[in-house]
Amino acid sequence: MRDHIETICVQGGYRPESGGPRQVPIVQSTTFKYDSSEEMGRLFDLEAEGYFYSRLQNPTCDHVARKIARLEGGSAAMLTSSGQAANFYAVFNIASCGDHVVASSSIYGGTYNLFAVTMRRMGVEFTFVSPDCTEAELDAAFRPNTKAVFGETIANPALTVLDIEKFAAAAHRHGVPLVVDNTFATPVNCRPIAWGADIVTHSTTKYMDGHAAALGGCVVDGGRFDWMAHADKFPGLTTPDESYHGVTYAEKFGREGAFITKATAQLMRDFGSMMSPQSAFILNLGLESLHVRMARHCENAQAVAEYLQQHPKITWVRYSGLAGDPYHTLAEKYLPHGSCGVISFGVKGGRTAAEAFMARLRLGTIATHVADARTCCLHPASTTHRQMNDAELEAADVSADLVRLSVGLENKEDLIADLDQALASL
Ligand SMILES: *Cc1c(COP(=O)(O)O)cnc(C)c1O
């Protein structure tokens, strides 16, 4: 029997034994004790399952990772210290020096920087393609050394919607997996693995936590990609790992376990960007209400987007829930229950008007954040993108008048009244 998503949000990943704590226990211990060195040695050889050091695995984190794996319909998952670490691990686990990755150009700025600057310095090349490109344009981006395709279900902050089936088909035609960052949609609104994605990543800092309380990330493996069928492309999974006693991950752990076991055994061991058990506990509290919160974020954002769209002082609104939005059709297919709570729009009068408008909001606080219970807003041109001039901003698809509004869980009439008084004062 397969549980519904709401049930997994509340109870997935952890089942207490009789007399055990009902809430996921915080195992605040760096290390674990064994009766003999031989017993512990079996863990080091990946011959037995268990814990020995929390840099590799911790029971609290594993309970929460298991919940997210089930939410996404995946076979295994690992928690990381941030969304940045999750995307780095997901890609670096299969692409290293001399390899190439195809990525959508419509992605989070931090991920773009990670790929185009830092990973490039590590010898991984990226080709960025428009999420709206044709199949032929997508095919043309591949090279013999391409190892993965990457995109975001709903891009932050561009709010484009990825045609997951189109990107998955192209990836699979070229024998590589599709990695999808599902942060904005969350598995409540879209499950990319069901549409053909192979690996899913999250910044759990956003809706999954939902209260701006704890940074975190997650990598989920769909467990379907056949590494052995493309063994020459993925030697890290299909040939012996000398740093792990000659284990061949794809042989020993199969399609369901190879990717996450390798990422844990090699990348977490060497880079150590693990989530703390305290943060995993906080994340789990957020997950317990994710399905309730996402519905309300979407309901509120839809009402706010419709209000803004008819306001004479607003020049444009981007929200895929609006009938005229360029991504409305894709959203109807991939996000039938709603997209997310983030809207972007332009204020008549450009940069000065946008800044004045935001300063007058009473409920919508100015913050470098999204996907929080509290409504917040950001003017990229004067904050995150302030080093760019107006021409550079246009090229980056961030106009000087753009306001990014993350609609929270307050009463929607109060939010609209707040926007109304701020616009009236301009
Ligand atoms: C915020 C964000 C990230 C980075 O996550 P952090 O937790 O801030 O490291 C990655 N992808 C998307 C889509 C994001 O919104």
Side-chain angles (χ1 to χ4, degrees):
M1 198 176 74
R2 194 167 154 62
D3 288 332
H4 289 89
I5 201 117
E6 296 85 350
T7 305
I8 304 170
C9 279
V10 179
Q11 295 211 16
Y14 172 65
R15 189 162 281 280
E17 290 166 7
S18 185
R22 186 65 193 93
Q23 181 54 284
V24 173
I26 303 175
V27 180
Q28 192 66 46
S29 182
T30 60
T31 191
F32 301 82
K33 146 300 159 180
Y34 286 90
D35 289 339
S36 72
S37 299
E38 191 195 331
E39 217 179 316
M40 193 192 279
R42 285 166 44 75
L43 301 180
F44 272 90
D45 282 349
L46 301 177
E47 286 298 334
E49 280 191 40
Y51 300 95
F52 55 94
Y53 194 54
S54 285
R55 167 147 47 76
L56 281 103
Q57 278 184 287
N58 170 282
T60 311
C61 296
D62 279 359
H63 291 312
V64 182
R66 216 159 25 237
K67 174 179 283 189
I68 298 175
R70 287 196 59 200
L71 286 172
E72 288 288 4
S75 61
M78 75 194 293
L79 299 185
T80 58
S81 55
S82 67
Q84 287 299 104
N87 281 326
F88 173 62
Y89 282 15
V91 175
F92 197 66
N93 206 30
I94 42 177
S96 50
C97 188
D99 290 337
H100 172 259
V101 174
V102 176
S104 163
S105 58
S106 198
I107 53 174
Y108 176 63
T111 310
Y112 180 81
N113 204 64
L114 168 71
F115 290 172
V117 181
T118 301
M119 290 190 73
R120 182 144 198 249
R121 221 184 276 145
M122 302 169 87
V124 185
E125 292 284 337
F126 287 81
T127 298
F128 294 96
V129 295
S130 161
D132 308 326
C133 67
T134 63
E135 274 182 32
E137 286 165 337
L138 199 43
D139 279 333
F142 284 82
R143 301 178 190 170
N145 59 339
T146 301
K147 298 299 166 77
V149 178
F150 183 94
E152 288 179 12
T153 311
I154 304 168
N156 175 12
L159 302 181
T160 54
V161 176
L162 190 73
D163 188 342
I164 301 172
E165 284 191 318
K166 178 178 79 179
F167 274 71
H172 298 157
R173 269 199 299 283
H174 296 270
V176 303
L178 172 65
V179 182
V180 172
D181 181 332
N182 197 32
T183 298
F184 266 27
T186 83
V188 170
N189 284 340
C190 179
R191 300 169 96 202
I193 292 167
W195 294 105
D198 301 286
I199 312 288
V200 169
T201 61
H202 282 280
S203 165
T204 64
T205 316
K206 312 293 166 52
Y207 287 114
M208 282 191 166
D209 167 61
H211 301 80
L215 275 164
C218 186
V219 183
V220 183
D221 180 13
R224 284 197 308 236
F225 194 83
D226 190 350
W227 307 106
M228 278 307 199
H230 308 282
D232 53 322
K233 278 191 195 291
F234 305 103
L237 284 151
T238 61
T239 60
D241 176 5
E242 294 315 327
S243 81
Y244 242 105
H245 324 292
V247 63
T248 299
Y249 295 101
E251 268 174 7
K252 191 166 172 70
F253 301 101
R255 289 189 205 185
E256 293 79 17
F259 189 87
I260 294 296
T261 306
K262 176 180 181 288
T264 304
Q266 290 180 342
L267 302 184
M268 202 56 98
R269 176 194 65 187
D270 296 348
F271 293 106
S273 327
M274 66 290 174
M275 187 184 285
S276 77
Q278 287 278 351
S279 290
F281 179 86
I282 292 168
L283 166 58
N284 191 52
L285 290 181
L287 290 171
E288 287 180 1
S289 63
L290 183 65
H291 54 299
V292 182
R293 291 185 291 106
M294 284 314 286
R296 184 60 67 86
H297 277 296
C298 292
E299 180 191 327
N300 283 0
Q302 184 71 31
V304 167
E306 285 170 10
Y307 161 80
L308 289 170
Q309 194 178 33
Q310 55 76 47
H311 199 286
K313 287 182 183 167
I314 297 297
T315 43
W316 56 271
V317 181
R318 284 295 297 278
Y319 186 66
S320 66
L322 295 175
D325 190 84
Y327 293 92
H328 187 65
T329 310
L330 280 175
E332 280 183 320
K333 173 176 175 180
Y334 292 108
L335 303 154
H337 308 300
S339 56
C340 64
V342 184
I343 301 172
S344 61
F345 56 91
V347 182
K348 202 169 271 177
R351 180 188 294 262
T352 334
E355 284 178 9
F357 160 74
M358 285 174 53
R360 293 200 173 105
L361 288 174
R362 188 174 59 87
L363 295 173
T365 50
I366 299 173
T368 309
H369 196 55
V370 286
D372 181 349
R374 289 147 292 224
T375 294
C376 59
C377 59
L378 182 77
H379 182 227
S382 56
T383 55
T384 50
H385 293 62
R386 68 180 290 127
Q387 72 283 4
M388 295 184 179
N389 61 35
D390 283 7
E392 287 171 326
L393 286 171
E394 290 297 340
D397 258 343
V398 178
S399 51
D401 63 345
L402 185 153
V403 175
R404 184 183 71 182
L405 184 72
S406 173
V407 180
L409 301 176
E410 303 90 342
N411 178 287
K412 63 189 173 195
E413 283 159 27
D414 292 348
L415 291 175
I416 290 171
D418 189 29
L419 296 165
D420 205 55
Q421 62 81 23
L423 286 169
S425 72
L426 291 181

